[in-house]
Amino acid sequence: MGILLSFLGGLSFGLLGTALKAAERRKADAAGLVVSAYAWPALFMLFKTVLQKSGGHIPAKVFVIAVIFGICAAVASLAFQVSIGFGKVTVGWLMMNLSAGVPAAVSVWMYHEGLTVMKVVALGLVVVSIVFLSWGQVIEKRADGRNPSGGA
Amino acid sequence: MWFLLMLVILLTNGMSAFGLKMIAAWGLPETVKYPYLTVWYAGGLAVIALPMLWKGMRLGKTEVAWGALAGALSIGGQVAMAMALNRGVPGHVVFPISIGGSIFVVALAGRLMFGERLSAPTAIGLALGFIAVILVGVS
């Protein structure tokens, strides 16, 4: 059952990426879409907070990092939504997920987490993947220049 | 423009999840998670909504409807992963399946629904990135 739930999580996130591309095809405004997409979870989390027995107390330092990282997430969502207006959703979505390598690398530096062989290989592959994706973008842009009707 | 957007996505999206790690490192209780996420979403909402309000822009039905669907799918994914973890499935199993699965679904939709064709370097980058994301999840 737990494995099935993991797959359902993947399906749900995958459909999220698909829905955002479908919205872009229907000319949804990128900023408006992000605002709406953040408003619903904000309400849901507020509801869960109010239901908590602790009353939802939040220390000042947690409040500060929540604002900073929430802004980071919204900027990333907006950049993703703008990028799929002219780029491929597959690449944009992969980039969103490859970004998991950044906190992994920061954790090694900030919290002195052990640098295992697997982590080194993973972070190395993130870099190599980005190089290939960038190379592909250059090739596809040149091809689109020769054939303007093509592309995403 | 594309390169700049990808760089912004890498840095900002990557760091956006780092707060939960900091909360865990500070040894704060689990109960702080929901207020944290409420402020997290509200902060993100405000930074995009305030300039829109300033410019006098309004949300259309398309944005509200698709945004609601996106929000529901985002919460659905989070809840499914949390339920899997609560049932004792280790994180190094849940995260690669969920993240890898989502990339697979988007790649399939990109090809079948949106007619995206990938050049050879992009396809190789996608395959390597898929492996990288799974390894980051496992490690």
Side-chain angles (χ1 to χ4, degrees), chain A residues 97-121:
Chain A
N97 286 287
L98 280 176
S99 69
V102 174
V106 171
S107 292
V108 171
W109 165 71
M110 200 167 161
Y111 295 118
H112 307 290
E113 284 185 0
L115 201 57
T116 60
V117 174
M118 192 186 285
K119 206 171 263 183
V120 172
V121 171

Side-chain angles (χ1 to χ4, degrees), chain A residues 105-140:
Chain A
V106 171
S107 292
V108 171
W109 165 71
M110 200 167 161
Y111 295 118
H112 307 290
E113 284 185 0
L115 201 57
T116 60
V117 174
M118 192 186 285
K119 206 171 263 183
V120 172
V121 171
L123 296 176
L125 275 177
V126 168
V127 175
V128 175
S129 167
I130 291 169
V131 170
F132 270 97
L133 292 172
S134 303
W135 179 21
Q137 176 68 15
V138 171
I139 288 175
E140 286 159 18

Side-chain angles (χ1 to χ4, degrees), chain A residues 78-89 92, chain B residues 2 5-6 9:
Chain A
L78 185 61
F80 170 77
Q81 198 59 33
V82 171
S83 78
I84 60 173
F86 56 88
K88 291 181 168 58
V89 67
Chain B
W2 183 86
L5 288 170
M6 293 302 119
I9 289 173

Side-chain angles (χ1 to χ4, degrees), chain A residues 1-3 5-23 25-42 44-49 52 54 56-59 61-63 65-67 69-83 86-104 106-107 110-111 113 116 118-119 121-123 125-126 128-130 132-140 151-152, chain B residues 1-23 25-26 28 30-45 47-50 52 57-59 62-81 83-85 87 89 93-95 97-111 113-136 138-139:
Chain A
M1 187 65 183
I3 298 291
L5 284 164
S6 305
F7 277 107
L8 280 175
L11 180 65
S12 192
F13 285 128
L15 290 176
L16 167 63
T18 308
L20 291 174
K21 178 65 181 175
R25 284 284 171 97
R26 282 158 184 77
K27 308 288 179 204
D29 175 66
L33 192 67
V34 173
V35 166
S36 177
Y38 273 62
W40 299 107
F44 178 78
M45 292 302 166
L46 182 64
F47 182 67
K48 294 281 279 183
T49 301
Q52 273 191 163
S54 64
H57 171 72
I58 182 166
K61 61 182 179 181
V62 175
F63 183 90
I65 63 163
V67 171
F69 292 128
I71 289 172
C72 281
V75 169
S77 301
L78 185 61
F80 170 77
Q81 198 59 33
V82 171
S83 78
F86 56 88
K88 291 181 168 58
V89 67
T90 310
V91 176
W93 193 253
L94 178 66
M95 208 61 88
M96 290 283 273
N97 286 287
L98 280 176
S99 69
V102 174
V106 171
S107 292
M110 200 167 161
Y111 295 118
E113 284 185 0
T116 60
M118 192 186 285
K119 206 171 263 183
V121 171
L123 296 176
L125 275 177
V126 168
V128 175
S129 167
I130 291 169
F132 270 97
L133 292 172
S134 303
W135 179 21
Q137 176 68 15
V138 171
I139 288 175
E140 286 159 18
Chain B
M1 179 70 167
W2 183 86
F3 291 101
L4 179 66
L5 288 170
M6 293 302 119
L7 185 65
V8 169
I9 289 173
L10 265 179
L11 296 178
T12 53
N13 194 59
M15 288 313 292
S16 68
F18 200 66
L20 289 172
K21 182 125 193 162
M22 289 176 78
I23 289 172
W26 286 335
L28 293 167
E30 271 287 297
T31 49
V32 88
K33 198 171 77 179
Y34 288 121
Y36 168 81
L37 287 172
T38 305
V39 177
W40 190 91
Y41 277 114
L45 176 69
V47 80
I48 307 292
L50 290 177
M52 284 182 70
M57 291 167 70
R58 288 187 177 193
L59 289 185
T62 311
E63 288 79 20
V64 172
W66 284 97
L69 178 63
L73 288 167
S74 174
I75 292 170
Q78 300 282 3
V79 168
M81 278 172 59
M83 284 173 71
L85 290 167
R87 283 169 191 264
V89 183
V93 174
V94 173
F95 295 117
I97 290 177
S98 296
I99 296 170
S102 83
I103 294 170
F104 178 75
V105 170
V106 171
L108 202 65
R111 181 75 189 92
M113 288 174 66
F114 307 117
E116 290 186 348
R117 292 183 180 188
L118 305 178
S119 63
T122 303
I124 294 168
L126 185 70
L128 292 175
F130 186 80
I131 297 166
V133 165
I134 288 174
L135 288 180
V136 169
V138 171
S139 68

